[in-house]
Amino acid sequence: MINTIILILVIISFLLIITEDLIHINKAKTTLFFGTLCWILAFIFPINNNIATETSHQLNENLLEIATLWLFLMSAMTFVAYLNSKGFISALVQRVLPERISERGLMFVIAIFAFIFSSFADNVTATLVSIAVVMNLQLEVKKRLKYATLIIFSVNSGGVSLITGDVTTLMIFLENKVTISNLLILILPSFIGVLTLASLLSIKLSGEVKLVQTRIKIEKSDIAIALIFVATISGTLLANVMFHIPPVLSFLFGLSIMFLVANLLPNKNNQDALNYIREVEYDALLFFLGVLLLVGILKEIGVLDGFTQLYQYLPAITVNYLVGFMSSVIDNVPLTAALLKSGVNMKITEWLTLTYATGVGGSILVIGSAAGIIAMSKVKGLNFISYLHNALYLIIAYTVGYVGVYVAANWALT
């Protein structure tokens, strides 16, 4: 009986996630409420006749995984919050872009920029910065929608190859399904997928655009923090490959260096660098907390065994491809968490295709990723229906990237 009640509560929670834009209730609030409620019920009405100590042990295992993810994301977000608030990111973008460029050329520049930037920054920041560039241009609505579509796909594609770029990639890595060196295999296929979409969207573009150049001064102190951020990312990757140091430990170490160095640098606004933790998007972190609690309880009541059965009937490469389409409807965080908790056994090459599918597949529908939701709120005319106009191009690009990952992974790992 209690298993059925918990399952119903989880389904309600997931429905509220999907309909967030309709009900106007932040998904962090609903998932946190239902996630904690389900575990409280598990203590009051024991699952499978578990004693309290067994349920407590199960909860502690879930909380350890969540804490590792939380601390890593908080560290990365603090770096980005600092640089973003200082105007460093906007200033850097202005220096990269030329004064005049063809519409077709801009399509590829935007694609490359969004792809690279999202590997280091979170998807939210990468989308906001990229969209801001497009919104400052005098473009027709149809053309602006094309650029927005490309940004959403590029941001999601850029993040899948590094643990700093996409939360689902980080989740799969933390479960020891892939290594950092394995993930680097995704870079080229993902990039080819982005270039494919840029080529398809730019077919009818022939005009020229002039970019507004507002020169923003970059402070030496901000450059120093940016270098520490880059060094932290590269150091985290190297430390894990060479010494198997957990990424969360390396990133927290880098964050501590940032705090200490910022304390010694000239600070015009007299704000302690430690205060930038307050600018981290805690609604996103609370959402992850709620989702992982929900998926954790689904594992304990045995619901996730259904995923394992699906892999018994179809080849993993086929199921993973379809998971990409599923992630455009179901949020990729709970979807990935469910797959990881289900105990599915796959080869490294197959885990890599799943990493790509969950990270990029959400781009197929505008509601399938955080990048899409943000773009909808910023770009006039971009909605569920208008985004569907480019659905065929998006599916082609996703398929090209997916096939590329499969080929590259089999070539590199055999």
Side-chain angles (χ1 to χ4, degrees), residues 221-239:
S221 57
D222 298 337
I223 295 175
I225 299 301
L227 291 174
I228 292 173
F229 184 34
V230 173
T232 298
I233 293 172
S234 55
T236 296
L237 301 179
L238 288 173

Side-chain angles (χ1 to χ4, degrees), residues 274-350:
L274 199 62
N275 291 333
Y276 287 97
I277 289 180
R278 297 173 184 172
E279 297 184 19
V280 169
E281 295 161 11
Y282 279 97
D283 58 338
L285 293 178
L286 288 171
F287 168 64
F288 298 146
L289 170 59
V291 162
L292 294 174
L293 285 173
L294 287 168
V295 175
I297 200 69
L298 283 178
K299 178 191 176 185
E300 304 306 332
I301 64 176
V303 171
L304 300 186
D305 294 339
F307 274 113
T308 308
Q309 294 175 6
L310 187 60
Y311 281 87
Q312 291 175 352
Y313 292 112
L314 293 170
I317 192 69
T318 302
V319 178
N320 291 344
Y321 178 75
L322 297 175
V323 164
F325 290 88
M326 292 170 61
S327 70
S328 66
V329 180
I330 304 172
D331 193 282
N332 61 354
V333 172
L335 185 62
T336 303
L339 285 165
L340 290 171
K341 294 282 186 182
S342 67
V344 174
N345 290 316
M346 292 191 290
K347 297 182 293 184
I348 294 176
T349 53
E350 293 165 344

Side-chain angles (χ1 to χ4, degrees), residues 17-18 27 152-153 156 160 166 168 172 287 307 319-337 339 353-373 384 398 402:
I17 292 173
I18 296 171
K27 58 187 176 183
I152 294 168
F153 189 86
N156 288 329
V160 295
D166 191 278
T168 53
I172 293 170
F287 168 64
F307 274 113
V319 178
N320 291 344
Y321 178 75
L322 297 175
V323 164
F325 290 88
M326 292 170 61
S327 70
S328 66
V329 180
I330 304 172
D331 193 282
N332 61 354
V333 172
L335 185 62
T336 303
L339 285 165
T353 58
L354 179 67
T355 303
Y356 179 84
T358 55
V360 181
S363 310
I364 296 172
L365 296 179
V366 73
I367 60 170
S369 66
I373 300 298
F384 187 86
Y398 165 70
Y402 186 86

Side-chain angles (χ1 to χ4, degrees), residues 2-210:
I2 184 61
N3 288 10
T4 303
I5 293 173
I6 287 176
L7 179 58
I8 291 171
L9 291 174
V10 173
I11 292 172
I12 292 172
S13 179
F14 286 173
L15 287 174
L16 292 175
I17 292 173
I18 296 171
T19 58
E20 178 187 17
D21 291 325
L22 298 175
I23 63 177
H24 303 295
I25 300 178
N26 192 304
K27 58 187 176 183
K29 299 175 183 177
T30 54
T31 51
L32 185 61
F33 171 76
F34 284 102
T36 51
L37 174 61
C38 288
W39 278 99
I40 289 172
L41 291 175
F43 276 94
I44 298 174
F45 308 100
I47 298 170
N48 303 325
N49 297 318
N50 287 348
I51 60 176
T53 53
E54 290 176 328
T55 305
S56 181
H57 177 70
Q58 293 167 347
L59 176 61
N60 287 338
E61 284 186 340
N62 276 273
L63 290 177
L64 178 60
E65 294 176 10
I66 294 167
T68 303
L69 179 65
W70 248 62
L71 291 171
F72 183 92
L73 292 174
M74 181 273 294
S75 303
M77 286 178 172
T78 303
F79 270 109
V80 175
Y82 178 96
L83 295 172
N84 206 27
S85 65
K86 293 282 188 173
F88 177 85
I89 295 174
S90 298
L92 196 61
V93 172
Q94 290 292 336
R95 282 164 168 74
V96 170
L97 296 175
E99 289 187 14
R100 286 183 176 275
I101 189 172
S102 67
E103 291 177 344
R104 184 170 295 176
L106 180 64
M107 185 71 73
F108 287 92
V109 170
I110 290 290
I112 294 169
F113 169 76
F115 181 87
I116 294 174
F117 187 56
S118 65
S119 299
F120 300 98
D122 61 281
N123 286 1
V124 174
T125 303
T127 305
L128 287 172
V129 173
S130 302
I131 289 292
V133 173
V134 173
M135 293 303 290
N136 287 331
L137 304 176
Q138 300 298 321
L139 294 171
E140 299 173 17
V141 175
K142 286 186 178 179
K143 292 180 179 178
R144 188 174 292 174
L145 294 181
K146 285 188 175 184
Y147 285 107
T149 301
L150 179 65
I151 287 170
I152 294 168
F153 189 86
S154 300
V155 164
N156 288 329
S157 297
V160 295
S161 55
L162 290 178
I163 57 176
T164 51
D166 191 278
V167 66
T168 53
T169 299
L170 177 61
M171 290 167 66
I172 293 170
F173 169 79
L174 291 176
E175 289 291 326
N176 298 314
K177 302 301 182 183
V178 294
T179 65
I180 286 175
S181 56
N182 294 152
L183 290 172
L184 296 179
I185 297 172
L186 300 176
I187 295 176
L188 183 58
S190 300
F191 187 57
I192 291 174
V194 169
L195 293 181
T196 299
L197 182 60
S199 300
L200 292 171
L201 291 173
S202 65
I203 290 174
K204 296 182 179 180
L205 297 180
S206 58
E208 186 180 71
V209 292
K210 182 179 181 181

